[in-house]
Amino acid sequence: MSFPSKPADLSYKTRSAVVLRASETMRWTPSHFQYLRSLIMELSLHTGSEYQVFFMIDVHDESIDLENDEEAVRELKQRVVPSEFRNMTVLFSEHLLEQWYPKMGEHRAIYQHLQAMQVFARMYPEFDYYWQFEFDNRVIGHTYHFLEQAVEFARKQPRKYLWERNAYFYTPGAHGTWENFSNTVANSMTGKHSVWGPVKHEGIKPAGPKPLPGSHPENDNFKWGVGEEADLITFLPIFDPRNTSWTFPNMTWNVSDNIPRRTSVITQWRMSKRLLMEMHNAQRRRGEAFASEMSAPSWALLHGFKAVHVPHPIYVDGQWSPSEMARIFNRGSPENINGGPDSIWNWDHRFDYLWYRISYMFATQAAEDLFRRWMGFQPDPRLYLGGIRVSVLSIYLFFPGY
């Protein structure tokens, strides 16, 4: 008896978990139901479980034993989670994280937002990648197509000058095409130091790929890294916070003060299993950690993992020109954009009037207003775009508290 041979072009897709974070105190609205149902349809059902959606709830009652008290867990889910979403819900608490990471002295979400994701990756190892999202965002468009385009963009990026490109707010109206922008960054880096493979630091044994012996960015023809999956995908720039007045530039645990680091605001990222496992091992075995938004970018830098900031359409409710926006949002020398005392990320509130009016930021009104206009609701008449219903490209909005 003969069996058909394996088709020559047969290939397998990676699997990704999409984890939505929320608190047990979240007040469910019709919008939440619509959003979660749409994600299940567009990701899980549309792909045959290439993507699988989970709902992760932060439990505040520390007396509940989430690992062993099945009855208490069942009652809690019945109380705080609508019935249609209970079988996709995962619970965690600070007490649970303390048990997983006893050598770490910090488990609050504001400072250690990725600990729960690290535990999740240990509990669900069948996935290759893990997306973390909040309930406070919306994709105007098809979520599967948005995420797949982000993944494809990241896969195509060469490692040469990648960390330098990552630090920019790419602005097409000022920078031209992505090819023009990449060439501009490359030309600006002539004679300057560039990240090339793992950034060495005492006590860190890199787990990622290393460049060929003797190779340098100058003699690489933008080939290394092309076709390589990204271990970290972010939706805002990745920058060096050490010489800025960003909120947590020096918040680390059990590592040296001079350890190299990077950060990316808003932890709505895709992380690979191997990146999360390195973060998990560092915390569980040695208690080594960075503040939430520095965690994955810093470990990717130290291990030589591929990290990519994926630019996406960000709308601004105002009349600033592209060149003006590019100048304000990309400050500093080419090898350290936004990594100095004039960084756009400084927590001095100098540019709050801009942050408040863009469509993807943790302190913005523009995202909610844009979403309401797109849905056909009455907008704020004071907004620049006026009272008309708008038609926009597929974009990713973030507006906390929605």
Side-chain angles (χ1 to χ4, degrees):
M1 181 177 179
S2 63
F3 294 92
S5 60
K6 177 182 176 181
D9 60 348
L10 183 63
S11 62
Y12 296 92
K13 299 280 284 186
T14 59
R15 292 200 69 205
S16 298
V18 176
V19 182
L20 271 78
R21 302 281 296 265
S23 167
E24 67 169 298
T25 59
M26 185 186 79
R27 241 181 7 95
W28 285 82
T29 68
S31 179
H32 290 131
F33 280 88
Q34 294 161 5
Y35 179 49
L36 195 46
R37 288 167 181 166
S38 72
L39 289 181
I40 295 169
M41 176 62 71
E42 295 172 7
L43 295 175
S44 295
L45 300 180
H46 176 74
T47 66
S49 290
E50 177 186 334
Y51 287 80
Q52 186 170 339
V53 180
F54 292 85
F55 181 39
M56 181 184 285
I57 293 183
D58 184 354
V59 177
H60 299 166
D61 187 349
E62 299 294 327
S63 67
I64 299 178
D65 185 350
L66 298 179
E67 290 190 297
N68 301 304
D69 194 338
E70 295 182 3
E71 181 62 24
V73 168
R74 184 184 64 81
E75 292 178 355
L76 180 61
K77 286 185 178 181
Q78 287 182 334
R79 178 166 55 86
V80 302
V81 183
S83 58
E84 64 185 280
F85 305 130
R86 286 173 193 158
N87 66 349
M88 56 185 283
T89 298
V90 178
L91 306 177
F92 79 98
S93 65
E94 288 184 20
H95 178 64
L96 178 66
L97 298 178
E98 289 171 2
Q99 293 176 311
W100 274 84
Y101 301 110
K103 294 184 179 181
M104 268 292 295
E106 183 59 70
H107 306 282
R108 290 171 293 176
I110 186 174
Y111 301 121
Q112 286 300 312
H113 204 225
L114 276 299
Q115 281 185 351
M117 287 297 294
Q118 294 161 197
V119 174
F120 180 91
R122 294 284 296 180
M123 295 170 60
Y124 296 89
E126 64 267 30
F127 297 101
D128 304 288
Y129 300 97
Y130 301 82
W131 289 95
Q132 174 173 267
F133 293 137
E134 301 283 346
F135 251 110
D136 301 334
N137 61 50
R138 298 293 183 273
V139 175
I140 294 180
H142 198 290
T143 307
Y144 175 77
H145 297 155
F146 179 82
L147 296 185
E148 283 296 288
Q149 288 170 3
V151 170
E152 179 63 20
F153 176 88
R155 187 184 299 124
K156 290 179 178 179
Q157 298 310 301
R159 283 177 171 259
K160 182 175 180 175
Y161 303 137
L162 175 58
W163 285 96
E164 290 75 33
R165 292 193 303 274
N166 280 340
Y168 281 84
F169 274 93
Y170 166 57
T171 311
H175 297 135
T177 66
W178 181 257
E179 183 180 5
N180 289 340
F181 168 69
S182 298
N183 289 336
T184 298
V185 174
N187 291 334
S188 72
M189 287 298 297
T190 301
K192 294 181 171 60
H193 173 74
S194 176
V195 175
W196 189 241
V199 174
K200 296 180 181 179
H201 188 74
E202 184 179 358
I204 304 294
K205 184 178 180 181
K210 300 176 179 63
L212 292 174
S215 68
H216 300 280
E218 293 78 9
N219 56 33
D220 177 81
N221 194 25
F222 293 95
K223 296 297 184 183
W224 186 35
V226 175
E228 177 188 5
E229 291 286 349
D231 290 279
L232 174 65
I233 292 176
T234 75
F235 290 115
L236 283 174
I238 305 172
F239 65 100
D240 186 342
R242 286 176 293 181
N243 294 317
T244 73
S245 58
W246 174 69
T247 44
F248 310 119
N250 300 309
M251 185 172 286
T252 62
W253 290 264
N254 301 313
V255 296
S256 64
D257 293 339
N258 66 340
I259 191 169
R261 66 202 71 166
R262 292 293 187 275
T263 192
S264 182
V265 173
I266 304 179
T267 59
Q268 298 194 121
W269 303 331
R270 188 188 85 158
M271 294 158 284
S272 68
K273 182 191 300 182
R274 67 176 180 175
L275 173 57
L276 284 169
M277 288 303 96
E278 290 299 332
M279 295 161 60
H280 164 80
N281 291 334
Q283 290 202 18
R284 184 168 177 84
R285 296 173 183 174
R286 303 180 297 277
E288 298 173 347
F290 299 86
S292 298
E293 293 170 321
M294 282 197 297
S295 54
S298 295
W299 289 118
L301 180 76
L302 294 165
H303 283 285
F305 293 147
K306 187 177 182 181
V308 180
H309 157 226
V310 174
H312 56 106
I314 295 179
Y315 284 74
V316 181
D317 178 40
Q319 302 185 58
W320 298 279
S321 69
S323 59
E324 187 177 8
M325 295 296 289
R327 176 181 58 81
I328 294 173
F329 278 81
N330 299 304
R331 295 164 168 264
S333 57
E335 74 278 16
N336 192 29
I337 291 294
N338 280 319
D342 60 348
S343 173
I344 187 69
W345 299 107
N346 286 341
W347 198 246
D348 56 10
H349 305 289
R350 181 182 176 188
F351 295 107
D352 281 6
Y353 69 96
L354 286 173
W355 290 126
Y356 189 70
R357 296 165 75 95
I358 69 174
S359 60
Y360 190 78
M361 182 46 59
F362 58 79
T364 177
Q365 181 61 34
E368 180 176 346
D369 290 327
L370 182 59
F371 182 70
R372 291 182 63 82
R373 283 198 296 272
W374 182 72
M375 292 289 288
F377 296 127
Q378 185 65 35
D380 187 332
R382 297 169 296 178
L383 294 172
Y384 171 62
L385 290 180
I388 61 172
R389 183 168 180 171
V390 297
S391 176
V392 297
L393 296 170
S394 177
I395 62 174
Y396 190 29
L397 303 172
F398 184 60
F399 38 101
Y402 190 76

